[in-house]
Each structure stands twice: as structure tokens, then as C-alpha cells.
Amino acid sequence: MAKLDKSVRERTDQLDALGNTTAATGKGFAIGSAALTALALLAAYLEEIIDTLKVSVSQFMSYYDVTLMNPKVLIGLFMGAAMAFYFCALTMKAVGRSAGAMVEEVRRQFREKPGIMRGEEKPDYARCVEISTVGAQREMILPSLIALVVPVAVGLIFDVAGVLGLLAGGLTTGFVLAIMMANAGGAWDNAKKFIEEGKHKDEYGEKGSEQHKATIVGDTVGDPFKDTSGPSLNILIKLMSMVSSCSLVS
């Protein structure tokens, strides 16, 4: 769009590919931090309760029957694991709806302002920014409510054993899922750029080939993977731990 030299695009593509790898590394540290924070919150809660009741850890676990043979713990584990996937599904679908609204707005502007394509009129950038901002805020209401309500509901129904199972399931599954999403999303993006470079077109195809079309699909899924669902799992893990601790204390 800026009508710059072709070499500029080649350099920015290389920077983008490097940025995807660097970002995946940074997100790995971030999700590791979220996991450690969740463990620290849980440990702090247990230590406070144990000091108050003057009991040992084994006595605390025995009293609430925190074992894999307890159905409440197993239900909590499965709910925590399912929450991570359900949360990611909600955020992925939210990105799709917001992107669809953006596409419709761009098409509308092209229809009503044909001079945009000829460089005679300027697009309404403010409207596009408004769609993305309002969409992001509105679409995150349901995922946020789930992260707040589910730990409280599990605590009321399945008591402490269920909440501990919920935290364990959400922590383990959310950690692995977030790492996978951050790395897979960046890899799919870089795969598309790798084919577009055309250096190994005999082996991997070139721009416009079936392989390239497949990498475009992968990149389309990979963007919300690495930029939306993966990073948001950090918040889910931390929020669940904090709400669970508060509900357990109450």
C-alpha cells in the first residue's frame, strides 16, 4: 500500500518471522509465571488454613479426602480441564465474529466510497478501530464471567475437594494448552512466510499453490491461537486461583 521497494517487504517478513519466534518464547515465560503464581496462591491459602487450624498438611488432605478416589476431586479435575478448552473455544469464536464484522465494514466502505481503491478518498479508519475495540470488550464478558462463576459454583457444590481438583485440572491443562497454542500459532505463521519466500518451491510449493493455501488456513487459525486464546489462558489460570482462594476462605 505504501508502494515501497520489494526488498522492504522481504526484510519486514524476516523481522515478522523472527518476532513470532521471540514472542512464543516470551509467552512461554508468561504462562510459566501464571502457573507458578497459581501454585503460590494455593500454597499460601493452604498454609494460612493449616496455621489457623493447627493441623498438618496430611491431616488437612485427609479431612477433606483430597484423593483421586474421591468423586468430587475427579469432577473438579475434569471441569478444570474442560474449562481451559471451553475458554479457548469462546475466545476463538469471538475473534471470528469480530473479524466478520470488520470484513463487512471494509466491504461497505468500498461500496460506498469507490474512490478508496483509486486513492481519491480516505477510508474511515475510526469506524474500524471502534469495531475492534467494542467487539473485544463485548466478547470477553462471557469468558470472564465463566472464570469468576465456575470456581464459586464448584466450591458451593463440591466443597474444598472439588475446588482443589478444579484448580489442578485447570492449571495442568491450561499450562500445556497455552504453550501449544503459542508455539503452534507462530509456527503456522512462519510456515506461510517460508513458502512465500519461494526458496524451496520444488519441495514445498510456491505462492498460490495448494501448499500455500493450506498454510494460509493455518495462519488464519494460528493468529488467534498465539495472540488471543493462548495468552488469555494466563489470566484464566490466575483468576481461577484467586477466586478459588477467596471462595475457600469464605
Side-chain angles (χ1 to χ4, degrees):
M1 291 175 68
K3 299 180 180 179
L4 299 176
D5 188 72
K6 185 180 179 181
S7 61
V8 176
R9 177 60 184 268
E10 294 175 356
R11 292 168 185 168
T12 54
D13 281 347
Q14 292 176 358
L15 288 172
D16 190 10
L18 178 62
N20 287 332
T21 306
T22 307
T25 305
K27 289 167 186 174
F29 283 106
I31 187 60
S33 169
L36 291 175
T37 301
L39 288 174
L41 287 169
L42 185 58
Y45 162 75
L46 291 176
E47 184 178 358
E48 181 178 352
I49 297 298
I50 288 170
D51 290 342
T52 303
L53 299 178
K54 305 299 181 181
V55 296
S56 64
V57 176
S58 59
Q59 289 174 329
F60 176 84
M61 294 297 184
S62 176
Y63 178 79
Y64 286 107
D65 192 19
V66 184
T67 64
L68 289 177
M69 299 305 295
N70 186 351
K72 293 182 179 179
V73 177
L74 287 175
I75 292 172
L77 280 170
F78 283 117
M79 289 188 67
M83 263 196 71
F85 286 95
Y86 184 56
F87 188 85
C88 290
L90 289 176
T91 53
M92 292 278 288
K93 291 181 69 175
V95 171
R97 286 191 293 267
S98 297
M102 186 71 73
V103 169
E104 290 301 321
E105 172 61 21
V106 171
R107 289 175 176 173
R108 182 193 67 80
Q109 291 193 28
F110 281 157
R111 281 196 310 269
E112 298 179 1
K113 298 180 179 181
I116 293 176
M117 296 298 292
R118 298 191 297 268
E120 299 172 356
E121 295 182 83
K122 284 189 175 182
D124 185 2
Y125 299 110
R127 176 58 184 156
C128 294
V129 172
E130 180 184 355
I131 289 174
S132 61
T133 304
V134 173
Q137 294 173 344
R138 183 180 62 249
E139 295 289 354
M140 284 307 296
I141 293 176
L142 180 58
S144 301
L145 286 177
I146 290 174
L148 292 170
V149 172
V150 170
V152 177
V154 170
L156 292 174
I157 299 172
F158 301 108
D159 203 26
V160 174
V163 174
L164 292 176
L166 177 75
L167 292 179
L171 176 60
T172 53
T173 306
F175 174 78
V176 175
L177 190 60
I179 292 291
M180 184 275 292
M181 285 184 158
N183 286 277
W188 288 336
D189 193 346
N190 287 352
K192 179 174 73 74
K193 290 181 176 60
F194 183 80
I195 288 182
E196 288 176 350
E197 289 178 357
K199 294 181 180 179
H200 302 275
K201 59 183 180 181
D202 293 337
E203 186 176 0
Y204 299 108
E206 57 185 353
K207 197 169 184 178
S209 64
E210 290 300 319
Q211 294 93 324
H212 182 241
K213 293 177 183 178
T215 58
I216 291 176
V217 175
D219 184 31
T220 303
V221 179
D223 279 340
F225 250 53
K226 63 185 177 66
D227 296 327
T228 303
S229 298
S232 64
L233 282 172
N234 300 342
I235 308 301
L236 175 67
I237 293 172
K238 292 179 180 178
L239 192 58
M240 282 177 56
S241 301
M242 296 181 69
V243 173
S244 298
S245 298
C246 294
S247 63
L248 285 173
V249 171
S250 61

